[in-house]
């Protein structure tokens, strides 16, 4: 892949740019194998799963700069200026077209770009997501609600220019700090969620819900986990850090298990997962998603109750557990609970950080890796996703 922004020194986010993709993939695979060598025998590694080396991102995160009527969309550069990145080659085609059309929409809206150095202006960032059905979610991150009327007035122009914009919102970020979004979201369209249809499972993505950046590779990851769950002969599955329910609902849809339960800290994501389960026609009680923190709400292993379950768990116990934590991993407390979980025979761990994954595996010595695979969500960079199948010995 060749990139004019990289060649000009404007953006260096793609640290592997210029290296042939086959070499990138081989180097990344070797790196994660080395990092997990203490836990995974070389023979247990499957071939890495990859997709296209460009045109793969389903998300755009654009800082807004410039001036009113002449905005710049891209990344922060020197002294708070914004360097244009509207022709980045990583975006999916429908997203790439939308990103290139956005500066005109912003210019016509009359919204004033936020000036980081002066701490003035209103429009800070624009966040976009593209679905497999080529629909878009467009989120305008504003400094205050005072510009909502102006944004509402611009909505018709936006939807005329971007007819695939199904969900449009305003996110409010009054503080001056290095984050992309604030806690409050105002939905400006009839639809409040984007349908991410993956292998005929219509996952509902709300504005602040997490979904993998690379839809092609996410599809491969869901299929692999479903295959592992089917192979171990489990009938029930719990999905911790479940987000909008991707792992659990794909396993249920494929008939790999008969019942699933998910735990996720975001109530909005939980609502989305339950909505998808209903639309799939899941029988009552076979797909239940609840709001909670997996690191706290399962209860410590040392406080196991009379039935042998960790204190605080919902009734019953799964035959297979799926965990997909943030970069910090599941941590020592949850690893100890899983290590001492009665009757839990199998765990699937999906990780974006082999350092925390290695640490967590060391804390669960009775669970041995039976298979492992790299999923290259982030070509052109060292970022990675690794999934491992664990079995109690």
């Amino acid at each position: 892949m060749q990139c004019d922004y990289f060649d000009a020194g404007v953006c260096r986010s793609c640290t592997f740019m210029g290296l042939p993709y086959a070499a990138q993939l081989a180097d990344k695979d070797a790196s994660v194998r080395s990092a997990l060598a203490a836990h995974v025998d070389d023979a247990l590694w499957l071939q890495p799963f990859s997709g296209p080396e460009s045109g793969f991102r389903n998300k755009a995160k654009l800082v807004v700069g410039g001036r009113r009527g002449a905005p710049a969309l891209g990344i922060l550069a020197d002294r708070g200026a914004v360097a244009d990145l509207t022709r980045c080659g990583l975006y999916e085609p429908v997203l790439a077209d939308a990103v290139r059309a956005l500066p005109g929409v912003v210019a016509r809206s009359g919204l004033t770009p936020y000036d980081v150095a002066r701490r003035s202006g209103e429009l800070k960032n624009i966040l976009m997501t593209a679905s497999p059905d080529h629909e878009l979610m467009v989120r305008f991150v504003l400094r205050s609600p005072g510009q909502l009327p102006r944004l509402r007035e611009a909505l018709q122009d936006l939807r005329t220019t971007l007819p695939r914009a199904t969900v449009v919102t305003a996110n409010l970020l009054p503080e001056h700090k290095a984050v992309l979004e604030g806690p409050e979201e105002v939905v400006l369209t009839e639809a409040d969620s984007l349908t991410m249809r993956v292998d005929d499972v219509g996952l509902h993505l709300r504005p602040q819900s997490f979904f993998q950046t690379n839809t092609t590779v996410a599809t491969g990851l869901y299929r692999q986990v479903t295959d592992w769950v089917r192979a171990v002969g489990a009938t029930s599955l719990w999905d911790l850090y479940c987000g909008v329910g991707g792992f659990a609902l794909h396993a249920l849809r494929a008939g790999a298990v008969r019942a699933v339960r998910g735990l996720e800290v975001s109530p909005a994501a939980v609502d989305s997962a339950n909505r998808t389960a209903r639309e799939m026609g899941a029988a009552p009680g076979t797909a239940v998603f609840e709001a909670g923190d997996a690191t706290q709400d399962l209860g410590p292993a040392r406080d196991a109750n009379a039935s042998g379950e960790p204190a605080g768990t919902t009734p019953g116990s799964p035959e297979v557990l799926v965990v997909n934590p943030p970069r910090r991993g599941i941590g020592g407390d949850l690893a100890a609970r899983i290590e001492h979980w009665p009757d839990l025979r199998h765990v699937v761990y999906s990780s974006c950080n082999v350092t925390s994954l290695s640490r967590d595996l060391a804390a669960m010595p009775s669970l041995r890796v039976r298979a492992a695979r790299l999923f290259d969500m982030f070509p052109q960079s060292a970022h990675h996703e690794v999934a491992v199948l664990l079995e109690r010995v």
Side-chain angles (χ1 to χ4, degrees), residues 300-373:
R302 62 180 178 275
D303 293 335
N305 58 34
S307 68
E309 294 175 3
T313 63
T314 45
S317 184
E319 293 173 302
V320 62
L321 184 71
V322 176
V323 295
N324 183 29
R327 288 188 59 81
R328 65 178 181 272
I330 63 175
D333 286 347
L334 182 54
R337 295 164 199 164
I338 294 173
E339 169 69 10
H340 298 98
W341 196 317
D343 303 323
L344 178 62
R345 304 301 306 166
H346 295 93
V347 176
V348 177
Y349 192 138
S350 181
S351 170
C352 62
N353 183 352
V354 288
T355 300
S356 59
L357 173 58
S358 180
R359 184 173 59 243
D360 291 338
L361 292 177
M364 300 183 292
S366 71
L367 291 160
R368 300 292 178 84
V369 176
R370 293 307 184 208
R373 194 174 194 183

Side-chain angles (χ1 to χ4, degrees), residues 93-376:
V94 66
L95 186 59
D97 291 343
V99 167
R100 288 194 289 270
L102 269 178
V105 174
V106 174
R108 293 188 296 272
S109 73
L111 290 165
T112 303
Y114 185 69
D115 188 309
V116 174
R118 294 185 173 86
R119 301 192 180 190
S120 64
E122 285 294 333
L123 180 57
K124 293 186 171 183
N125 307 307
I126 298 178
L127 312 176
M128 302 180 66
T129 305
S131 78
D133 294 330
H134 300 160
E135 295 182 335
L136 297 167
M137 179 189 295
V138 187
R139 304 170 61 207
F140 293 84
V141 182
L142 301 175
R143 185 184 185 187
S144 71
Q147 293 301 305
L148 281 173
R150 189 182 296 275
L151 185 54
R152 291 184 190 277
E153 290 174 3
L155 185 60
Q156 183 57 52
D157 178 40
L158 171 67
R159 300 190 79 173
T160 298
T161 306
L162 302 178
R164 297 184 181 276
T166 303
V167 182
V168 182
T169 75
N171 177 275
L172 302 181
L173 178 59
E175 299 90 351
H176 177 84
K177 57 183 181 181
V179 295
L180 284 173
E181 59 187 316
E184 184 178 354
E185 201 90 21
V186 180
V187 180
L188 305 177
T189 48
E190 299 83 2
D192 64 356
S193 69
L194 185 69
T195 302
M196 303 294 290
R197 198 172 309 282
V198 181
D199 276 348
D200 202 33
V201 177
L203 300 169
H204 287 280
L205 187 65
R206 293 193 178 185
Q208 299 194 38
S209 297
F210 170 79
F211 189 80
Q212 298 283 5
T213 301
N214 188 323
T215 305
T216 298
V217 180
T219 302
L221 178 60
Y222 288 147
R223 290 175 181 173
Q224 180 65 79
V225 172
T226 296
D227 287 346
W228 282 341
V229 170
R230 181 185 290 108
V232 301
T235 60
S236 61
L237 176 153
W238 284 10
D239 187 354
L240 307 186
Y241 311 93
C242 69
V244 296
F247 288 113
L249 291 170
H250 276 83
L252 185 67
R253 180 74 168 189
V257 290
R258 293 199 296 266
V260 298
R261 187 178 296 272
L263 191 64
E264 163 61 40
V265 71
S266 167
V270 168
D271 288 345
S272 294
N274 282 315
R275 176 179 173 183
T276 301
R278 290 192 300 271
E279 292 178 352
M280 284 171 48
T286 60
V288 178
F289 296 89
E290 303 165 312
D293 185 343
T295 61
Q296 299 176 13
D297 294 347
L298 291 180
R302 62 180 178 275
D303 293 335
N305 58 34
S307 68
E309 294 175 3
T313 63
T314 45
S317 184
E319 293 173 302
V320 62
L321 184 71
V322 176
V323 295
N324 183 29
R327 288 188 59 81
R328 65 178 181 272
I330 63 175
D333 286 347
L334 182 54
R337 295 164 199 164
I338 294 173
E339 169 69 10
H340 298 98
W341 196 317
D343 303 323
L344 178 62
R345 304 301 306 166
H346 295 93
V347 176
V348 177
Y349 192 138
S350 181
S351 170
C352 62
N353 183 352
V354 288
T355 300
S356 59
L357 173 58
S358 180
R359 184 173 59 243
D360 291 338
L361 292 177
M364 300 183 292
S366 71
L367 291 160
R368 300 292 178 84
V369 176
R370 293 307 184 208
R373 194 174 194 183
L374 166 70
F375 293 83
D376 193 17

